[in-house]
Amino acid sequence: MYRLLFEHLLARFDAERMHQLGFGLLRVLLAISFVRRWLRGSLVAPDPVLTVQAFGRELDSPLGLAAGFDKDAVGYEQLYALGFGFIEIGTLTGEAQSGNPKPRMFRFVQHRALINRLGFNNRGSCAAVARLARPRDVPLGVNIGKTKLVAEEDAVQDYVASAERLGVLADYVVVNVSSPNTPGLRNLQAVELLRPLLAAVRTALDRVSPTRRVPLLVKIAPDLADEDIDGVADLALELGLDGIIATNTTIARAPLSDEEAARAGAGGLSGAPLKQRSLAVLRRLHARLGTRTMLIGVGGIESAQDALDRILAGATLVQAYTGFIYGGLLWPSTLRRELAALLRARGFQNVRDAVGRG
Ligand SMILES: Cc1cc2nc3c(=O)[nH]c(=O)nc-3n(C[C@H](O)[C@H](O)[C@H](O)COP(=O)(O)O)c2cc1C
């Protein structure tokens, strides 16, 4: 039903407007905390096979919402009510910015894919403080990036400013160096630039949160060469990073035709076409790190089987964005239920038992 409606009606309209409309509606419908609690209670039955310890908390599902959906942290409670185990807000930058000119988000329904070049449109890390400061039960990651107008040599300070503002409010912080839509950003993945950046953010987090160690993760691109993936893995061990998120969107275009690719232009491709590459990056990280550094698998996850494949490949947690767009509002709770059944069918007691067992 949702799929039919999506393919024939919604897909005709501008993707970003539809996102804003749908998300706006969800926020209004679930504005009251009682309604959210009721909905989550109806959709999500606690299940020990799905319970997983991460970021010093107990999550009731390993499936989280990936960064970019709720950049400004305006509806994370509503999204959590749908059955996700955790929500990652952002990317938030040091300064507010409007992002790239529109249109900048494109659907490819046949490929179950999206291309976006939003360019970190967000109200800035300062503005998010008030929205994150209220009491909550939502496990929340805060993804931070570089303001476009900030020079590359001042990037560290921009990330540090956001980390200082938001660190104490986050269950974990992600340094995003992998969006293809901020010029020069992905250069920060080179180990010699990434090391001082992550070290500075770590120091900032320890300074603002001396009593609770805020977990720090890095999010990488699927387009890195194998030796660069290994370099990030080694750096994670060297710096004692708490996790790596693999992966962001890709600049590759297969299996889109030249005409389809030209319709969208520049940007990051997400969804089904990203599945195999994201899985390969995850496997490579796991081969190097084992379970010493927590891995979060993201990119093209559409089904419980996809989620299980990531867990078997070494991910403790998984995330999705595009699969949720195409799957609809019941998708997180359905996937959760189906994943529990798959884990049980394979004889696993819980998610941790299955990590890296593929
Ligand atoms: C429209 C859109 C906006 C995104 N914005 C961000 C962002 O701001 N920060 C980020 O780290 N990732 C962002 N992403 C990447 C997703 O978090 C995710 O890593 C990627 O889309 C692959 O997962 P998927 O195939 O499940 O969508 C965005 C993705 C999409 C489709």
Side-chain angles (χ1 to χ4, degrees), residues 24 35 68 74 85 93 150 186 199 208 240 251 260 292 309-310 343 356 358:
V35 179
V74 292
T93 53
V150 165
R186 293 181 311 156
V208 294
I251 54 169
E260 287 172 320
R292 288 178 291 177
D309 290 345
R310 300 302 158 105
L343 284 163

Side-chain angles (χ1 to χ4, degrees), residues 126-168:
C126 240
V129 171
R131 289 188 293 279
L132 296 179
R134 50 181 191 247
R136 60 158 199 267
D137 55 4
V138 182
L140 203 78
V142 173
N143 179 308
I144 57 175
K146 185 185 91 66
T147 308
K148 184 177 179 184
L149 286 181
V150 165
E152 278 176 50
E153 56 270 27
D154 298 327
V156 172
Q157 199 35 53
D158 198 56
Y159 280 91
V160 163
S162 296
E164 285 176 342
R165 289 170 193 147
L166 300 172
V168 286

Side-chain angles (χ1 to χ4, degrees), residues 101-281:
K102 296 176 184 173
R104 52 191 183 176
M105 188 169 163
F106 307 86
R107 288 196 208 87
F108 295 89
V109 179
Q110 303 299 331
H111 298 289
R112 305 185 308 282
L114 294 171
I115 289 181
N116 91 85
R117 56 166 170 280
L118 295 172
F120 293 163
N121 52 315
N122 78 106
R123 297 178 212 163
S125 52
C126 240
V129 171
R131 289 188 293 279
L132 296 179
R134 50 181 191 247
R136 60 158 199 267
D137 55 4
V138 182
L140 203 78
V142 173
N143 179 308
I144 57 175
K146 185 185 91 66
T147 308
K148 184 177 179 184
L149 286 181
V150 165
E152 278 176 50
E153 56 270 27
D154 298 327
V156 172
Q157 199 35 53
D158 198 56
Y159 280 91
V160 163
S162 296
E164 285 176 342
R165 289 170 193 147
L166 300 172
V168 286
L169 304 170
D171 287 299
Y172 68 96
V173 166
V174 183
V175 165
N176 179 10
V177 281
S178 47
S179 165
N181 301 314
T182 295
L185 188 86
R186 293 181 311 156
N187 299 339
L188 296 171
Q189 292 176 117
V191 167
E192 59 280 12
L193 295 179
L194 192 54
R195 183 183 285 110
L197 169 59
L198 291 173
V201 173
R202 178 71 270 159
T203 305
L205 292 175
D206 292 342
R207 192 165 54 243
V208 294
S209 179
T211 51
R212 177 181 67 99
R213 186 179 184 280
V214 181
L216 176 63
L217 292 79
V218 67
K219 182 167 179 180
I220 63 170
D223 307 311
L224 286 180
D226 285 351
E227 54 274 23
D228 296 328
I229 298 170
D230 295 346
V232 173
D234 294 347
L235 186 64
L237 287 180
E238 179 193 320
L239 298 179
L241 273 194
D242 300 275
I244 302 177
I245 304 186
T247 66
N248 213 312
T249 56
T250 178
I251 54 169
R253 287 294 179 262
L256 271 61
S257 67
D258 290 350
E259 292 73 34
E260 287 172 320
R263 172 161 79 81
L269 174 67
S270 60
L274 186 54
K275 193 177 304 197
Q276 291 314 320
R277 179 60 192 159
S278 285
L279 182 59
V281 173

